[in-house]
Amino acid sequence: MRSIVCKILFPLLLLWQLPAGAATILVFGDSLSAGYGLSAGQGWVALLAKDLAPRHRVVNASVSGETSAGGLSRLPDALARHQPDVLVLELGANDGLRGLPLADMRQNLQRMVDLAQARKTRVLLVGMALPPNYGPRYGAEFRAAYDEIAKSNHLAYVPLLVAGFAGDLASFQPDGLHPRADKQITMMRTVKAKLPVK
């Protein structure tokens, strides 16, 4: 009984501690948002949380290696637990890197948008691009999936999380996929500029 009461009261206590007009922002992404290869506090989500505090609360529910299907399975519980005002949806890169059907990715992302909007949660969709070795057609279709979802749902939208340094290999860790620590501030500012909060 005690554990049940704690599960109910704890989220409410967190909300009571926020100032009037504050928003809870749930970042729901993959390794790019989980801070892969970085020390604690270096990732763009941690920098965003620091930048927005104390007015807004940022919760990072990102998981390295996550696909859109995995995210879809986790999202209902995350929405219920954190009750966010804003969902920053940064998923799909691993679908593309694994060459998964883009129709499935698009459907999964759309279902996540639907789940969030059904709870009156605003959505900021964050897109990515694939390395050129995946071919121009698949790469273009991958990017277009984000454009179409953002447009059809009238979402706040960041077309490219790594905008401004996508083509600079020196800006990435040795794997060529994850940005270095010194580029996290750029990513944070790119996302913050499109956040639907004041």
Side-chain angles (χ1 to χ4, degrees):
M1 174 63 105
R2 183 178 178 182
S3 63
I4 295 175
V5 172
C6 289
K7 288 180 180 179
I8 295 173
L9 291 181
F10 186 65
L12 294 177
L13 290 173
L14 288 176
L15 291 175
W16 287 338
Q17 293 172 0
L18 294 175
T24 295
I25 300 161
L26 176 63
V27 180
F28 207 71
D30 49 36
S31 57
L32 293 167
S33 298
Y36 177 86
L38 305 173
S39 299
Q42 287 187 319
W44 74 264
V45 181
L47 296 176
L48 180 68
K50 183 178 180 180
D51 185 86
L52 295 180
R55 179 163 177 76
H56 302 302
R57 180 170 72 108
V58 177
V59 177
N60 193 356
S62 303
V63 175
S64 292
E66 188 76 284
T67 63
S68 63
L72 177 59
S73 70
R74 290 195 303 117
L75 185 58
D77 179 68
L79 291 173
R81 179 179 302 179
H82 301 293
Q83 302 179 39
D85 300 284
V86 177
L87 172 67
V88 178
L89 182 56
E90 182 273 303
L91 283 173
N94 287 309
D95 295 62
L97 292 174
R98 298 178 189 183
L100 299 178
L102 295 180
D104 292 346
M105 182 190 81
R106 187 182 295 108
Q107 182 180 54
N108 292 335
L109 291 174
Q110 181 60 58
R111 290 177 66 187
M112 284 187 272
V113 170
D114 292 340
L115 286 169
Q117 292 184 333
R119 298 179 64 96
K120 308 301 182 185
T121 298
R122 290 162 285 173
V123 178
L124 168 58
L125 182 64
V126 179
M128 275 300 298
L130 295 177
N133 58 297
Y134 281 78
R137 180 176 178 180
Y138 188 76
E141 291 177 355
F142 178 82
R143 291 289 300 274
Y146 292 99
D147 295 342
E148 292 164 5
I149 292 170
K151 183 176 181 180
S152 62
N153 293 278
H154 307 287
L155 303 179
Y157 183 38
V158 172
L160 186 61
L161 180 59
V162 294
F165 62 90
D168 179 18
L169 288 178
S171 296
F172 292 81
Q173 297 176 42
D175 62 12
L177 298 173
H178 297 92
R180 295 167 58 93
D182 60 345
K183 293 300 177 182
Q184 300 296 314
I185 187 68
T186 300
M187 298 161 68
M188 184 275 280
R189 289 170 177 163
T190 296
V191 173
K192 181 185 175 184
K194 295 298 180 74
L195 271 176
V197 296
K198 295 181 179 179

